[in-house]
Amino acid sequence: MNSIWVLAKNTFLELIRDRILYGLLVFAVLLIGLSLALGQLSFAEQSRISANFGFTAIHLSMVVLSIFVGSTLVAKELDKKTIFTLLARPLSRPQFLLGKCLGLTMVTLTVVMGLAVMLCFVFLGLSVPIDIQYLTALFGIILESFVLLGLTIFFGSFASPAMVVTSSIGFFLIGHWLNDLSFFASKSKSEAFLRFSDLVSSFLPNLEKFNWRSAVIYQEKISGVEVIAALGYSLAWFVLLMTLTSIILRRKDFA
């Protein structure tokens, strides 16, 4: 356990110094600032426009962080051959994987908390209530980042970084489109379309299950059962993907 924590801490410190992270933070801060400027265009919808842009900034930051940084998390160790030094120590391949994941998760939580505090000040300035829906929306973004992180690390165990990014973006777009696919399938009279929709929905993660950002904007209530179900859904996908990645790494010949 101590080895995992040391690896996670080193991964956290390494990623914190990464230029990609700083560029991402600048982008998120500019987008949150832009939300205030665009909110001035409509006095009636100012708070909703600002809140929408603010949550979009945090959401996109987490997506980019999970996909682009996660895609090189294992591949970088393989390219630089540093994985040989790590695995020469009393550290198994599953422990190596857990340590890297924990490090990136710590970075993700740090970035979310930092941007959430900034968005809090925006909400306070616009008299938008900061309540349980606000925290739930942020929690949903974190749960989605877990699934994306699992996907990128899984693809990264056997594909090049470019392929990982392309595949992960594809799964991200499809994951947010599955509800629409089910809707169109239910409205159609095609049995084949319905079966195709059920098949795709069964084998791909539905990322819309974590989307509670509109609940803050329109003051909609989110049930505790829905949050717990989404938590279980996210953890199930993450554990499944990590298990598959661990199996691939165990069979991988690094020599």
Side-chain angles (χ1 to χ4, degrees):
M1 191 65 189
N2 186 51
S3 302
I4 296 175
W5 173 245
V6 171
L7 182 58
K9 186 179 175 183
N10 288 334
T11 303
F12 174 80
L13 294 175
E14 180 185 349
L15 293 178
I16 284 293
R17 293 192 290 264
D18 200 318
R19 291 179 182 177
I20 295 178
L21 184 63
Y22 291 114
L24 193 61
L25 288 175
V26 170
F27 165 75
V29 170
L30 288 177
L31 201 56
I32 291 176
L34 182 64
S35 70
L36 289 173
L38 290 176
Q40 300 296 325
L41 298 176
S42 173
F43 290 105
E45 300 292 334
Q46 182 182 12
S47 59
R48 290 183 180 180
I49 292 174
S50 299
N52 190 25
F53 264 81
F55 278 117
T56 300
I58 298 176
H59 182 225
L60 286 180
S61 300
M62 288 306 95
V63 171
V64 173
L65 187 63
S66 299
I67 292 179
F68 285 88
V69 178
S71 64
T72 59
L73 199 62
V74 176
K76 191 183 293 183
E77 301 289 350
L78 293 173
D79 291 341
K80 293 181 178 178
K81 309 295 184 185
T82 51
I83 192 171
F84 295 112
T85 308
L86 292 171
L87 294 181
R89 300 183 177 186
L91 183 74
S92 65
R93 296 185 184 189
Q95 286 176 326
F96 163 78
L97 194 61
L98 283 176
K100 300 297 285 185
C101 287
L102 183 59
L104 181 52
T105 302
M106 289 162 60
V107 173
T108 301
L109 294 176
T110 303
V111 173
V112 167
M113 285 190 290
L115 294 177
V117 170
M118 188 178 297
L119 190 58
C120 273
F121 286 112
V122 174
F123 276 27
L124 289 174
L126 297 173
S127 300
V128 177
I130 300 173
D131 48 20
I132 190 67
Q133 277 96 339
Y134 177 80
L135 297 176
T136 307
L138 292 175
F139 187 57
I141 293 173
I142 292 173
L143 292 181
E144 181 178 338
S145 73
F146 283 162
V147 177
L148 290 175
L149 177 61
L151 279 170
T152 53
I153 291 178
F154 169 66
F155 289 129
S157 63
F158 60 86
S160 65
M163 286 293 294
V164 174
V165 171
T166 305
S167 304
S168 300
I169 291 175
F171 274 88
F172 167 74
L173 295 175
I174 294 172
H176 281 285
W177 179 63
L178 285 180
N179 283 353
D180 293 330
L181 178 67
S182 299
F183 174 77
F184 289 124
S186 64
K187 293 295 180 184
S188 73
K189 296 180 181 179
S190 171
E191 187 67 25
F193 191 13
L194 277 171
R195 289 185 180 180
F196 172 75
S197 172
D198 292 339
L199 184 67
V200 172
S201 300
S202 300
F203 287 97
L204 297 179
N206 186 346
L207 301 180
E208 276 298 305
K209 289 183 181 294
F210 314 118
N211 186 3
W212 299 310
R213 297 182 291 279
S214 59
V216 180
I217 298 170
Y218 297 103
Q219 289 297 299
E220 299 169 350
K221 290 186 178 179
I222 307 164
S223 68
V225 175
E226 186 180 353
V227 175
I228 293 173
L231 173 62
Y233 187 76
S234 173
L235 290 178
W237 268 105
F238 187 77
V239 170
L240 173 65
L241 292 165
M242 286 300 100
T243 303
L244 293 174
T245 308
S246 180
I247 293 172
I248 293 172
L249 285 182
R250 279 181 179 176
R251 296 184 175 182
K252 205 175 185 69
D253 184 12
F254 294 124

